Amino acid sequence: MKQRDQWGTRLGFILAAVGSAIGMGNIWRFPYMVYENGGGAFLIPYFVAVFTAGIPLLILEFGVGQKYAGSTPATFRTLKEKWAWIGWWQILVCFVIACYYVVIIGWSFSYLTFSFNLGWGEDTAGFFFNEYLHISNGPFELGGIQWHILAPLAMVWLVCWGVLMCGVKKGIEAANKFFMPALFLMVILIMARAVTMPGAVDGLNWLFKPDFAKLGDIKVWAAAFGQVFFSLSVGFAIMITYSSYLSEEADINNNAFMTAFINCGFSMLAGIMIFSVLGYMAAQKGVPIQEVVKSGVSLAFVTIPQAINFMPGATFIGILFFLSLLFAGVSSMISICEACIAGILEGFKVSRKAATSLLCGLGFLVSLVYTTGGGLYVLDIVDHFINTYAVLLGGFIEIVLLSWFFRLETIREHVNRTSDFMVGSWWTFCLKFFTSFVLGYMLVMKCVGDIKTPYEGYPLEALGVYGWAVVAALPVVAVILAKSDSLGRKE
């Protein structure tokens, strides 16, 4: 039997876990979440969420992954035979995310090239939506493939294929040892320049000015828990897969705390960087900062390029910013794909080369839909439904099963045996009661909201086809895979 891959060093695992946790959302979503949910006051529920949900969940997934040393389907099957489909469900979620996440990384690569001559021009919104995306009139008007989007997308898939082909130690670990230090360095350089510019202080005041009245709004607390849950890559196969490559002596508790704190630290740096730049742009345009604050792809590909146009050394800042987006995206993309590859490797007894080629080849074909004129609409709908229901529900089911239908003390005893410091009953309480309740509440509220008000005003048919149908198909396919993989077949 071939020996299972392992990380070469503890640092390599930490950087890979951090590389998975730190994605483009840390740069374009976290700052807006802070701004919109009480400024500095939001940091109170945010850090409560880190200690009561983020770190306990990381310890749980690191512990389960290390103890059972298998892919997510194999791990759940070991815990209980009939739970294997949950592991496949999480892997399918990873696959769907990879297929649209890769196109955003491709946009970042394109914008990196545009940075050399500020090719997005003065009307950054018109350039992004009309000239670059050639956006259609709706989600059912796909139009043709945009070849200038397809080319960078193919390059990103090729890079991921190359890294993943090299395995855990020589591929993923080596890549993250380069990506993560470089990413932190670039963000610090941009931040150091941005905070010295006129208007930067005003931007930071808007970011961190506390509105303690917001603490009485349960939606703010739910937003904090949601940010922590999604940011740390828990609940959908990645951290269980990564920790399955740990040695038996690895310090689980320390690793979990370090991963969470480094991720939080990067989010803070990104927030300071983004709002310093937005404050400067607002000052240059003579408008309130509320008029320039955006979130998501509009922040990254419309607002920030517009802000860069105003900045001294615009070309250099543009290169650094989009290179940082590219590195953050690729490191996360690698982790998403590795979770899938591990499942294929162990579930169907194929080589890493075959599993990687199958995953990347099939993923490339599926991702073609996002290179069309209607790709942005499809991406927006799929992303909303996958993150709201597939990821959140999968994580909720995982926590409930492991906390209530499996002896959770088994994992606590295991992680304490290998760690420098021990976790106590607070860890069990958080998982069984606090985190389970919050995630359940979030699921119900988001479902009620989507039923009352169609997401972003999209036609119900589009939400049905690209949203509900995709989410509903995942557990069905997961059950089929669980019954057909080699682990589940009777020898």
Side-chain angles (χ1 to χ4, degrees):
M1 182 177 177
K2 184 181 178 181
Q3 186 178 2
R4 185 175 177 78
D5 283 347
Q6 285 194 347
W7 301 104
T9 62
R10 179 181 183 180
L11 176 64
F13 168 71
I14 293 293
L15 290 177
V18 168
S20 174
I22 293 176
M24 290 183 281
N26 294 71
I27 297 173
W28 71 38
R29 188 172 186 267
F30 175 79
Y32 185 80
M33 292 288 291
V34 176
Y35 164 80
E36 192 178 45
N37 290 283
F42 178 74
L43 299 181
I44 295 174
Y46 176 73
F47 281 108
V48 169
V50 169
F51 282 100
T52 60
I55 292 173
L57 281 169
L58 279 176
I59 292 173
L60 175 64
E61 295 203 342
F62 284 0
V64 167
Q66 182 201 42
K67 181 176 175 62
Y68 298 103
S71 64
T72 313
T75 297
F76 277 101
R77 190 183 295 281
T78 302
L79 293 170
K80 203 159 192 175
E81 181 74 20
K82 62 182 180 181
W83 290 357
W85 71 274
I86 299 168
W88 281 113
W89 181 9
Q90 293 188 354
I91 281 179
L92 290 170
V93 169
C94 283
F95 177 74
V96 174
I97 292 174
C99 290
Y100 67 78
Y101 195 64
V102 67
V103 77
I104 306 175
I105 305 172
W107 298 346
S108 301
F109 184 82
S110 293
Y111 267 67
L112 174 63
T113 64
F114 298 151
S115 298
F116 287 91
N117 63 350
L118 305 183
W120 48 70
E122 294 184 5
D123 180 10
T124 54
F127 177 83
F128 179 63
F129 293 110
N130 300 323
E131 294 184 43
Y132 182 67
L133 294 183
H134 295 288
I135 194 164
S136 67
N137 294 319
F140 288 126
E141 295 183 30
L142 295 180
I145 290 174
Q146 307 297 316
W147 298 101
H148 60 281
I149 297 176
L150 176 62
L153 177 142
M155 290 186 66
V156 174
W157 274 119
L158 186 61
V159 168
C160 290
W161 179 84
V163 170
L164 293 164
M165 279 285 290
C166 295
V168 173
K169 183 177 178 180
K170 294 182 179 180
I172 301 171
E173 181 173 341
N176 279 286
K177 282 183 175 179
F178 169 71
F179 285 140
M180 286 302 100
L183 176 59
F184 271 85
L185 177 61
M186 288 186 290
V187 169
I188 290 171
L189 285 175
I190 300 173
M191 182 189 70
R193 179 68 186 97
V195 296
T196 64
M197 297 188 298
V201 174
D202 294 330
L204 295 178
N205 285 338
W206 273 101
L207 175 62
F208 291 117
K209 181 176 68 176
D211 180 3
F212 291 106
K214 291 275 192 178
L215 296 181
D217 186 350
I218 194 169
K219 291 182 180 179
V220 171
W221 289 83
F225 276 83
Q227 174 63 25
V228 169
F229 184 83
F230 294 120
S231 178
L232 290 176
S233 297
V234 289
F236 59 113
I238 295 172
M239 291 307 184
I240 290 178
T241 302
Y242 266 16
S243 57
S244 72
Y245 302 128
L246 285 169
S247 68
E248 294 180 358
E249 298 79 28
D251 187 328
I252 295 299
N253 298 339
N254 258 329
N255 288 346
F257 273 83
M258 290 174 65
T259 300
F261 288 153
I262 294 172
N263 177 70
C264 292
F266 181 86
S267 295
M268 294 296 177
L269 290 177
I272 294 171
M273 174 187 73
I274 292 295
F275 268 79
S276 295
V277 171
L278 295 180
Y280 172 75
M281 183 172 81
Q284 295 300 303
K285 297 178 73 172
V287 300
I289 195 167
Q290 304 97 297
E291 293 188 16
V292 300
V293 176
K294 303 286 184 184
S295 181
V297 294
S298 291
L299 170 67
F301 299 105
V302 176
T303 306
I304 293 298
Q306 189 178 46
I308 290 171
N309 287 341
F310 288 98
M311 297 175 71
T315 297
F316 181 65
I317 296 296
I319 291 171
L320 284 182
F321 178 77
F322 286 107
L323 197 57
S324 67
L325 271 189
L326 187 63
F327 281 11
V330 170
S331 63
S332 294
M333 180 73 179
I334 288 170
S335 70
I336 295 169
C337 291
E338 177 59 24
C340 301
I341 289 167
I344 298 170
L345 264 171
E346 297 179 12
F348 296 96
K349 304 300 182 186
V350 297
S351 66
R352 172 167 284 271
K353 180 179 180 180
T356 304
S357 299
L358 173 65
L359 184 278
C360 292
L362 185 59
F364 172 75
L365 293 176
V366 174
S367 63
L368 292 179
V369 69
Y370 302 109
T371 68
T372 64
L376 180 60
Y377 301 120
V378 180
L379 188 156
D380 189 29
I381 296 171
V382 173
D383 177 62
H384 172 74
F385 278 84
I386 285 293
N387 279 293
T388 300
Y389 301 107
V391 173
L392 206 54
L393 182 57
F396 176 72
I397 292 174
E398 173 189 306
I399 293 165
V400 169
L401 287 178
L402 293 180
S403 300
W404 290 96
F405 298 93
F406 176 76
R407 187 173 176 271
L408 197 57
E409 290 301 305
T410 301
I411 303 301
R412 184 157 76 99
E413 291 167 4
H414 172 75
V415 299
N416 285 340
R417 188 164 53 247
T418 64
S419 302
D420 289 339
F421 66 88
M422 296 187 291
V423 293
S425 57
W426 68 270
W427 180 75
T428 305
F429 175 82
C430 287
L431 290 173
K432 292 187 74 169
F433 300 101
F434 203 74
T435 305
S436 298
F437 170 78
V438 172
L439 291 182
Y441 171 82
M442 289 168 58
L443 268 170
V444 172
M445 288 299 100
K446 287 179 179 292
C447 187
V448 169
D450 277 342
I451 292 173
K452 285 184 176 179
T453 307
Y455 175 64
E456 293 294 327
Y458 285 112
L460 292 178
E461 296 85 356
L463 297 178
V465 172
Y466 300 126
W468 295 113
V470 173
V471 170
L474 296 184
V476 175
V477 178
V479 170
I480 294 171
L481 288 171
K483 290 183 178 297
S484 61
D485 70 33
S486 61
L487 295 171
R489 290 196 298 265
K490 302 295 182 183
E491 298 296 337

